[in-house]
Each structure stands twice: as C-alpha cells, then as structure tokens.
Amino acid sequence: METQNDFIVIKAKDQGVQVIGLTRGTDTKFHHTEKLDKNEVLVAQFTDHTSAIKIRGKAVVMTKHGMIHTDKEE
C-alpha cells in the first residue's frame, strides 16, 4: 500500500482538544491520542498506519482542501 503523505494542521481553540489517530486495515482501532491546550498547534500526517484522524473539541483544521472550524456548521 502506498503512503498518502497528506498532512493536516490542527489548532486548538479551547483547552483539552483531543486528536485521535485511527489505524488502517480490516479492524479500525485507535492507535494514538494527543490532547491540545488552547492555541496549541499539531501537524498530523496520514501514513501506512494512520488512515483517519478524529478531532474532539473546538479547533481549526487546515488541509490542502481548505479550512474547517469544528464548531461551525457548513
């Protein structure tokens, strides 16, 4: 399987924003969790092991497709 190498930037707008990496394969599982303080920034990359990233809390997510605010409806 070829690695995507796409990455996203996550900026916490509140304390305690959770960023959870999910595995690839037949069984999707949590494999990594980070907790961000307000205004902390995390750069996360999709890899051979990470197929999805779940974000809980108020944050701004920046991708090559645009910017998403988790607390606003599109």
Side-chain angles (χ1 to χ4, degrees), residues 8-33:
I8 63 173
V9 177
I10 304 153
K11 181 177 181 183
K13 293 169 72 176
D14 269 344
Q15 287 293 109
V17 171
Q18 288 185 303
V19 181
I20 303 161
L22 300 160
T23 60
R24 288 191 188 277
T26 55
D27 296 326
T28 301
K29 299 176 184 174
F30 296 143
H31 75 80
H32 188 83
T33 302

PDB file of all heavy atoms in Angstrom, residues 8-33:
ATOM      1  N   ILE A   8      -2.351  17.380   7.884  1.00  0.00           N
ATOM      2  CA  ILE A   8      -3.277  18.425   8.287  1.00  0.00           C
ATOM      3  C   ILE A   8      -2.662  19.183   9.460  1.00  0.00           C
ATOM      4  O   ILE A   8      -1.795  18.656  10.157  1.00  0.00           O
ATOM      5  CB  ILE A   8      -4.668  17.868   8.675  1.00  0.00           C
ATOM      6  CG1 ILE A   8      -4.583  16.947   9.889  1.00  0.00           C
ATOM      7  CG2 ILE A   8      -5.310  17.147   7.505  1.00  0.00           C
ATOM      8  CD1 ILE A   8      -5.936  16.508  10.422  1.00  0.00           C
ATOM      9  N   VAL A   9      -3.106  20.408   9.645  1.00  0.00           N
ATOM     10  CA  VAL A   9      -2.687  21.224  10.772  1.00  0.00           C
ATOM     11  C   VAL A   9      -3.922  21.461  11.632  1.00  0.00           C
ATOM     12  O   VAL A   9      -4.978  21.834  11.124  1.00  0.00           O
ATOM     13  CB  VAL A   9      -2.095  22.573  10.301  1.00  0.00           C
ATOM     14  CG1 VAL A   9      -1.734  23.445  11.488  1.00  0.00           C
ATOM     15  CG2 VAL A   9      -0.887  22.339   9.407  1.00  0.00           C
ATOM     16  N   ILE A  10      -3.792  21.222  12.930  1.00  0.00           N
ATOM     17  CA  ILE A  10      -4.906  21.378  13.869  1.00  0.00           C
ATOM     18  C   ILE A  10      -4.502  22.412  14.904  1.00  0.00           C
ATOM     19  O   ILE A  10      -3.463  22.263  15.553  1.00  0.00           O
ATOM     20  CB  ILE A  10      -5.230  20.041  14.563  1.00  0.00           C
ATOM     21  CG1 ILE A  10      -5.530  18.974  13.518  1.00  0.00           C
ATOM     22  CG2 ILE A  10      -6.383  20.210  15.552  1.00  0.00           C
ATOM     23  CD1 ILE A  10      -5.230  17.580  13.967  1.00  0.00           C
ATOM     24  N   LYS A  11      -5.326  23.467  15.048  1.00  0.00           N
ATOM     25  CA  LYS A  11      -5.078  24.487  16.073  1.00  0.00           C
ATOM     26  C   LYS A  11      -6.238  24.471  17.053  1.00  0.00           C
ATOM     27  O   LYS A  11      -7.396  24.668  16.667  1.00  0.00           O
ATOM     28  CB  LYS A  11      -4.933  25.875  15.473  1.00  0.00           C
ATOM     29  CG  LYS A  11      -4.654  26.925  16.543  1.00  0.00           C
ATOM     30  CD  LYS A  11      -4.432  28.294  15.956  1.00  0.00           C
ATOM     31  CE  LYS A  11      -4.141  29.272  17.090  1.00  0.00           C
ATOM     32  NZ  LYS A  11      -3.982  30.633  16.584  1.00  0.00           N
ATOM     33  N   ALA A  12      -5.945  24.226  18.317  1.00  0.00           N
ATOM     34  CA  ALA A  12      -6.972  24.153  19.365  1.00  0.00           C
ATOM     35  C   ALA A  12      -7.511  25.547  19.672  1.00  0.00           C
ATOM     36  O   ALA A  12      -6.742  26.487  19.867  1.00  0.00           O
ATOM     37  CB  ALA A  12      -6.396  23.525  20.618  1.00  0.00           C
ATOM     38  N   LYS A  13      -8.834  25.667  19.726  1.00  0.00           N
ATOM     39  CA  LYS A  13      -9.474  26.928  20.098  1.00  0.00           C
ATOM     40  C   LYS A  13      -9.902  26.917  21.562  1.00  0.00           C
ATOM     41  O   LYS A  13     -10.303  27.938  22.092  1.00  0.00           O
ATOM     42  CB  LYS A  13     -10.678  27.184  19.193  1.00  0.00           C
ATOM     43  CG  LYS A  13     -10.274  27.434  17.746  1.00  0.00           C
ATOM     44  CD  LYS A  13     -11.433  27.416  16.795  1.00  0.00           C
ATOM     45  CE  LYS A  13     -12.315  28.619  16.916  1.00  0.00           C
ATOM     46  NZ  LYS A  13     -13.396  28.611  15.909  1.00  0.00           N
ATOM     47  N   ASP A  14      -9.841  25.766  22.215  1.00  0.00           N
ATOM     48  CA  ASP A  14     -10.184  25.586  23.627  1.00  0.00           C
ATOM     49  C   ASP A  14      -9.177  24.636  24.265  1.00  0.00           C
ATOM     50  O   ASP A  14      -8.426  23.955  23.558  1.00  0.00           O
ATOM     51  CB  ASP A  14     -11.578  24.957  23.778  1.00  0.00           C
ATOM     52  CG  ASP A  14     -12.697  25.969  23.874  1.00  0.00           C
ATOM     53  OD1 ASP A  14     -12.416  27.154  24.123  1.00  0.00           O
ATOM     54  OD2 ASP A  14     -13.869  25.572  23.701  1.00  0.00           O
ATOM     55  N   GLN A  15      -9.208  24.553  25.595  1.00  0.00           N
ATOM     56  CA  GLN A  15      -8.396  23.583  26.324  1.00  0.00           C
ATOM     57  C   GLN A  15      -8.926  22.173  26.063  1.00  0.00           C
ATOM     58  O   GLN A  15     -10.128  21.970  25.925  1.00  0.00           O
ATOM     59  CB  GLN A  15      -8.474  23.847  27.829  1.00  0.00           C
ATOM     60  CG  GLN A  15      -7.728  25.062  28.303  1.00  0.00           C
ATOM     61  CD  GLN A  15      -6.242  24.925  28.165  1.00  0.00           C
ATOM     62  OE1 GLN A  15      -5.644  25.576  27.321  1.00  0.00           O
ATOM     63  NE2 GLN A  15      -5.632  24.080  28.958  1.00  0.00           N
ATOM     64  N   GLY A  16      -8.038  21.207  26.029  1.00  0.00           N
ATOM     65  CA  GLY A  16      -8.434  19.805  26.014  1.00  0.00           C
ATOM     66  C   GLY A  16      -8.953  19.270  24.696  1.00  0.00           C
ATOM     67  O   GLY A  16      -9.712  18.302  24.687  1.00  0.00           O
ATOM     68  N   VAL A  17      -8.561  19.844  23.569  1.00  0.00           N
ATOM     69  CA  VAL A  17      -8.974  19.297  22.276  1.00  0.00           C
ATOM     70  C   VAL A  17      -8.257  17.963  22.073  1.00  0.00           C
ATOM     71  O   VAL A  17      -7.038  17.868  22.244  1.00  0.00           O
ATOM     72  CB  VAL A  17      -8.645  20.277  21.122  1.00  0.00           C
ATOM     73  CG1 VAL A  17      -8.876  19.622  19.771  1.00  0.00           C
ATOM     74  CG2 VAL A  17      -9.478  21.543  21.257  1.00  0.00           C
ATOM     75  N   GLN A  18      -9.012  16.925  21.726  1.00  0.00           N
ATOM     76  CA  GLN A  18      -8.441  15.596  21.527  1.00  0.00           C
ATOM     77  C   GLN A  18      -8.254  15.319  20.037  1.00  0.00           C
ATOM     78  O   GLN A  18      -9.158  15.563  19.237  1.00  0.00           O
ATOM     79  CB  GLN A  18      -9.342  14.517  22.104  1.00  0.00           C
ATOM     80  CG  GLN A  18      -9.365  14.472  23.603  1.00  0.00           C
ATOM     81  CD  GLN A  18     -10.179  13.301  24.080  1.00  0.00           C
ATOM     82  OE1 GLN A  18     -11.342  13.159  23.745  1.00  0.00           O
ATOM     83  NE2 GLN A  18      -9.554  12.448  24.863  1.00  0.00           N
ATOM     84  N   VAL A  19      -7.083  14.791  19.704  1.00  0.00           N
ATOM     85  CA  VAL A  19      -6.772  14.370  18.343  1.00  0.00           C
ATOM     86  C   VAL A  19      -6.449  12.883  18.423  1.00  0.00           C
ATOM     87  O   VAL A  19      -5.555  12.473  19.160  1.00  0.00           O
ATOM     88  CB  VAL A  19      -5.574  15.150  17.762  1.00  0.00           C
ATOM     89  CG1 VAL A  19      -5.288  14.709  16.347  1.00  0.00           C
ATOM     90  CG2 VAL A  19      -5.842  16.654  17.836  1.00  0.00           C
ATOM     91  N   ILE A  20      -7.205  12.082  17.673  1.00  0.00           N
ATOM     92  CA  ILE A  20      -7.104  10.627  17.774  1.00  0.00           C
ATOM     93  C   ILE A  20      -6.759  10.050  16.397  1.00  0.00           C
ATOM     94  O   ILE A  20      -7.476  10.290  15.426  1.00  0.00           O
ATOM     95  CB  ILE A  20      -8.436  10.027  18.270  1.00  0.00           C
ATOM     96  CG1 ILE A  20      -8.823  10.659  19.613  1.00  0.00           C
ATOM     97  CG2 ILE A  20      -8.354   8.508  18.365  1.00  0.00           C
ATOM     98  CD1 ILE A  20     -10.279  10.504  19.970  1.00  0.00           C
ATOM     99  N   GLY A  21      -5.662   9.298  16.327  1.00  0.00           N
ATOM    100  CA  GLY A  21      -5.282   8.619  15.091  1.00  0.00           C
ATOM    101  C   GLY A  21      -5.929   7.247  15.028  1.00  0.00           C
ATOM    102  O   GLY A  21      -5.956   6.516  16.022  1.00  0.00           O
ATOM    103  N   LEU A  22      -6.467   6.898  13.862  1.00  0.00           N
ATOM    104  CA  LEU A  22      -7.120   5.604  13.651  1.00  0.00           C
ATOM    105  C   LEU A  22      -6.321   4.780  12.650  1.00  0.00           C
ATOM    106  O   LEU A  22      -5.799   5.312  11.669  1.00  0.00           O
ATOM    107  CB  LEU A  22      -8.545   5.824  13.133  1.00  0.00           C
ATOM    108  CG  LEU A  22      -9.436   6.629  14.083  1.00  0.00           C
ATOM    109  CD1 LEU A  22     -10.611   7.220  13.341  1.00  0.00           C
ATOM    110  CD2 LEU A  22      -9.898   5.758  15.217  1.00  0.00           C
ATOM    111  N   THR A  23      -6.256   3.474  12.887  1.00  0.00           N
ATOM    112  CA  THR A  23      -5.418   2.581  12.085  1.00  0.00           C
ATOM    113  C   THR A  23      -6.046   2.224  10.740  1.00  0.00           C
ATOM    114  O   THR A  23      -7.251   2.346  10.547  1.00  0.00           O
ATOM    115  CB  THR A  23      -5.151   1.262  12.828  1.00  0.00           C
ATOM    116  OG1 THR A  23      -6.402   0.617  13.078  1.00  0.00           O
ATOM    117  CG2 THR A  23      -4.420   1.497  14.113  1.00  0.00           C
ATOM    118  N   ARG A  24      -5.198   1.747   9.849  1.00  0.00           N
ATOM    119  CA  ARG A  24      -5.638   1.155   8.582  1.00  0.00           C
ATOM    120  C   ARG A  24      -5.881  -0.336   8.811  1.00  0.00           C
ATOM    121  O   ARG A  24      -5.487  -0.882   9.821  1.00  0.00           O
ATOM    122  CB  ARG A  24      -4.539   1.272   7.524  1.00  0.00           C
ATOM    123  CG  ARG A  24      -4.318   2.651   7.019  1.00  0.00           C
ATOM    124  CD  ARG A  24      -3.406   2.636   5.800  1.00  0.00           C
ATOM    125  NE  ARG A  24      -3.065   3.983   5.441  1.00  0.00           N
ATOM    126  CZ  ARG A  24      -3.840   4.781   4.707  1.00  0.00           C
ATOM    127  NH1 ARG A  24      -4.995   4.332   4.242  1.00  0.00           N
ATOM    128  NH2 ARG A  24      -3.468   5.999   4.423  1.00  0.00           N
ATOM    129  N   GLY A  25      -6.486  -0.974   7.832  1.00  0.00           N
ATOM    130  CA  GLY A  25      -6.623  -2.426   7.896  1.00  0.00           C
ATOM    131  C   GLY A  25      -8.057  -2.864   8.071  1.00  0.00           C
ATOM    132  O   GLY A  25      -8.988  -2.069   8.021  1.00  0.00           O
ATOM    133  N   THR A  26      -8.222  -4.152   8.294  1.00  0.00           N
ATOM    134  CA  THR A  26      -9.563  -4.726   8.396  1.00  0.00           C
ATOM    135  C   THR A  26     -10.273  -4.288   9.675  1.00  0.00           C
ATOM    136  O   THR A  26     -11.486  -4.169   9.693  1.00  0.00           O
ATOM    137  CB  THR A  26      -9.514  -6.263   8.340  1.00  0.00           C
ATOM    138  OG1 THR A  26      -8.621  -6.723   9.358  1.00  0.00           O
ATOM    139  CG2 THR A  26      -9.024  -6.737   6.986  1.00  0.00           C
ATOM    140  N   ASP A  27      -9.525  -4.065  10.760  1.00  0.00           N
ATOM    141  CA  ASP A  27     -10.098  -3.590  12.020  1.00  0.00           C
ATOM    142  C   ASP A  27      -9.570  -2.195  12.319  1.00  0.00           C
ATOM    143  O   ASP A  27      -8.381  -2.024  12.591  1.00  0.00           O
ATOM    144  CB  ASP A  27      -9.718  -4.514  13.184  1.00  0.00           C
ATOM    145  CG  ASP A  27     -10.295  -5.900  13.033  1.00  0.00           C
ATOM    146  OD1 ASP A  27     -11.408  -6.019  12.490  1.00  0.00           O
ATOM    147  OD2 ASP A  27      -9.627  -6.858  13.459  1.00  0.00           O
ATOM    148  N   THR A  28     -10.446  -1.193  12.261  1.00  0.00           N
ATOM    149  CA  THR A  28     -10.034   0.175  12.581  1.00  0.00           C
ATOM    150  C   THR A  28      -9.984   0.329  14.091  1.00  0.00           C
ATOM    151  O   THR A  28     -10.946   0.024  14.787  1.00  0.00           O
ATOM    152  CB  THR A  28     -11.026   1.192  11.987  1.00  0.00           C
ATOM    153  OG1 THR A  28     -11.058   1.001  10.573  1.00  0.00           O
ATOM    154  CG2 THR A  28     -10.614   2.607  12.294  1.00  0.00           C
ATOM    155  N   LYS A  29      -8.836   0.786  14.592  1.00  0.00           N
ATOM    156  CA  LYS A  29      -8.642   0.951  16.032  1.00  0.00           C
ATOM    157  C   LYS A  29      -7.951   2.283  16.300  1.00  0.00           C
ATOM    158  O   LYS A  29      -7.270   2.822  15.435  1.00  0.00           O
ATOM    159  CB  LYS A  29      -7.754  -0.171  16.590  1.00  0.00           C
ATOM    160  CG  LYS A  29      -8.325  -1.551  16.417  1.00  0.00           C
ATOM    161  CD  LYS A  29      -7.344  -2.584  16.913  1.00  0.00           C
ATOM    162  CE  LYS A  29      -7.891  -3.979  16.642  1.00  0.00           C
ATOM    163  NZ  LYS A  29      -6.945  -5.017  16.958  1.00  0.00           N
ATOM    164  N   PHE A  30      -8.120   2.787  17.536  1.00  0.00           N
ATOM    165  CA  PHE A  30      -7.365   3.960  17.959  1.00  0.00           C
ATOM    166  C   PHE A  30      -5.914   3.532  18.142  1.00  0.00           C
ATOM    167  O   PHE A  30      -5.631   2.502  18.732  1.00  0.00           O
ATOM    168  CB  PHE A  30      -7.875   4.505  19.294  1.00  0.00           C
ATOM    169  CG  PHE A  30      -9.288   5.020  19.257  1.00  0.00           C
ATOM    170  CD1 PHE A  30     -10.131   4.830  20.333  1.00  0.00           C
ATOM    171  CD2 PHE A  30      -9.772   5.719  18.169  1.00  0.00           C
ATOM    172  CE1 PHE A  30     -11.426   5.319  20.322  1.00  0.00           C
ATOM    173  CE2 PHE A  30     -11.070   6.214  18.141  1.00  0.00           C
ATOM    174  CZ  PHE A  30     -11.896   6.007  19.225  1.00  0.00           C
ATOM    175  N   HIS A  31      -4.966   4.310  17.629  1.00  0.00           N
ATOM    176  CA  HIS A  31      -3.575   3.945  17.865  1.00  0.00           C
ATOM    177  C   HIS A  31      -2.769   5.076  18.497  1.00  0.00           C
ATOM    178  O   HIS A  31      -1.666   4.841  18.982  1.00  0.00           O
ATOM    179  CB  HIS A  31      -2.891   3.435  16.592  1.00  0.00           C
ATOM    180  CG  HIS A  31      -2.533   4.469  15.590  1.00  0.00           C
ATOM    181  ND1 HIS A  31      -1.424   5.260  15.697  1.00  0.00           N
ATOM    182  CD2 HIS A  31      -3.140   4.846  14.446  1.00  0.00           C
ATOM    183  CE1 HIS A  31      -1.357   6.071  14.662  1.00  0.00           C
ATOM    184  NE2 HIS A  31      -2.390   5.847  13.899  1.00  0.00           N
ATOM    185  N   HIS A  32      -3.303   6.290  18.500  1.00  0.00           N
ATOM    186  CA  HIS A  32      -2.563   7.390  19.108  1.00  0.00           C
ATOM    187  C   HIS A  32      -3.533   8.498  19.504  1.00  0.00           C
ATOM    188  O   HIS A  32      -4.475   8.778  18.774  1.00  0.00           O
ATOM    189  CB  HIS A  32      -1.529   7.946  18.119  1.00  0.00           C
ATOM    190  CG  HIS A  32      -0.604   8.939  18.733  1.00  0.00           C
ATOM    191  ND1 HIS A  32       0.507   8.547  19.446  1.00  0.00           N
ATOM    192  CD2 HIS A  32      -0.626  10.282  18.763  1.00  0.00           C
ATOM    193  CE1 HIS A  32       1.125   9.635  19.876  1.00  0.00           C
ATOM    194  NE2 HIS A  32       0.466  10.699  19.476  1.00  0.00           N
ATOM    195  N   THR A  33      -3.308   9.104  20.654  1.00  0.00           N
ATOM    196  CA  THR A  33      -4.151  10.206  21.125  1.00  0.00           C
ATOM    197  C   THR A  33      -3.270  11.337  21.627  1.00  0.00           C
ATOM    198  O   THR A  33      -2.274  11.101  22.308  1.00  0.00           O
ATOM    199  CB  THR A  33      -5.073   9.739  22.280  1.00  0.00           C
ATOM    200  OG1 THR A  33      -5.867   8.654  21.825  1.00  0.00           O
ATOM    201  CG2 THR A  33      -5.994  10.851  22.730  1.00  0.00           C
TER     202      THR A  33
END
